Amino acid sequence: DVKVTQSSRYLVKRTGEKVFLECVQDMDHENMFWYRQDPGLGLRLIYFSYDVKMKEKGDIPEGYSVSREKKERFSLILESASTNQTSMYLCASSSTSEAFFGQGTRLTVV
Amino acid sequence: KQEVTQIPAALSVPEGENLVLNCSFTDSAIYNLQWFRQDPGKGLTSLLLIQSSQREQTSGRLNASLDKSSGRSTLYIAASQPGDSATYLCAVSGSARQLTFGSGTQLTVLP
């Protein structure tokens, strides 16, 4: 069974904290993605990576950075969390075709 | 820039009905189209993948079609059940390998 695992289902952080969201896939996929999902705005791409140590900005990269040191792991970093980053964060991986998603991390910044 | 639209935004049907969800996209140069299901507060579950060279895919009671030239896809659900209640999302993949999503159709199947 294919698997994309996000490190936390729920997370509460304080404004100004540095936040790490981790994602691991076991399918040897080249491509990995981070999306955020907000009511009325749908899924928006933050960053993606098509190889180790490679990264590309998506539609809304401001306030975020990413790290991909190993093929199976893609981390999303909020350098200084703000309340407008409260959202559902979804990680995905794909090869040349089908994409698979993790279970999501509901992040609340207070 | 690719744009994906899903109609209707919400749909409520009695159990047992057959139904169709619609997805349209503006740029026909896609690699594939994928339909997902999302339950409240959860991640996305892949339902069907249609490669750009294919016309349709079937899995159980689900059938997805693709008309690339007109920029349309439909998801057909036969004999709907209350357990089918969820949000259904379509997404297209282009040369940049990233998925562009529609805003989804929230389906409620009434017992």
Side-chain angles (χ1 to χ4, degrees), chain A residues 39-52:
Chain A
L41 297 175
L43 277 97
R44 294 179 291 169
L45 182 64
I46 305 171
Y47 267 98
F48 66 103
S49 167
Y50 52 84
D51 202 351
V52 176

Side-chain angles (χ1 to χ4, degrees), chain A residues 2 29 33 35 92-101, chain B residues 4 6 23 25 30-37 44-52 57 64-66 73-75 88-94 97-102:
Chain A
V2 298
H29 283 167
F33 309 84
Y35 291 85
S93 74
S94 72
S95 56
T96 55
S97 54
E98 194 168 6
F100 297 90
F101 278 77
Chain B
V4 180
Q6 289 187 248
C23 173
F25 46 95
I30 63 169
Y31 277 8
N32 59 55
L33 184 144
Q34 201 167 347
W35 282 93
F36 294 90
R37 169 189 172 134
L44 277 64
T45 300
S46 178
L47 296 174
L48 289 165
L49 170 76
I50 311 177
Q51 302 284 5
S52 62
Q57 282 285 338
S65 68
L66 174 64
S73 176
T74 61
L75 179 67
Y88 291 81
L89 295 146
C90 79
V92 296
S93 172
R97 312 176 218 198
Q98 53 190 281
L99 288 170
T100 302
F101 282 86

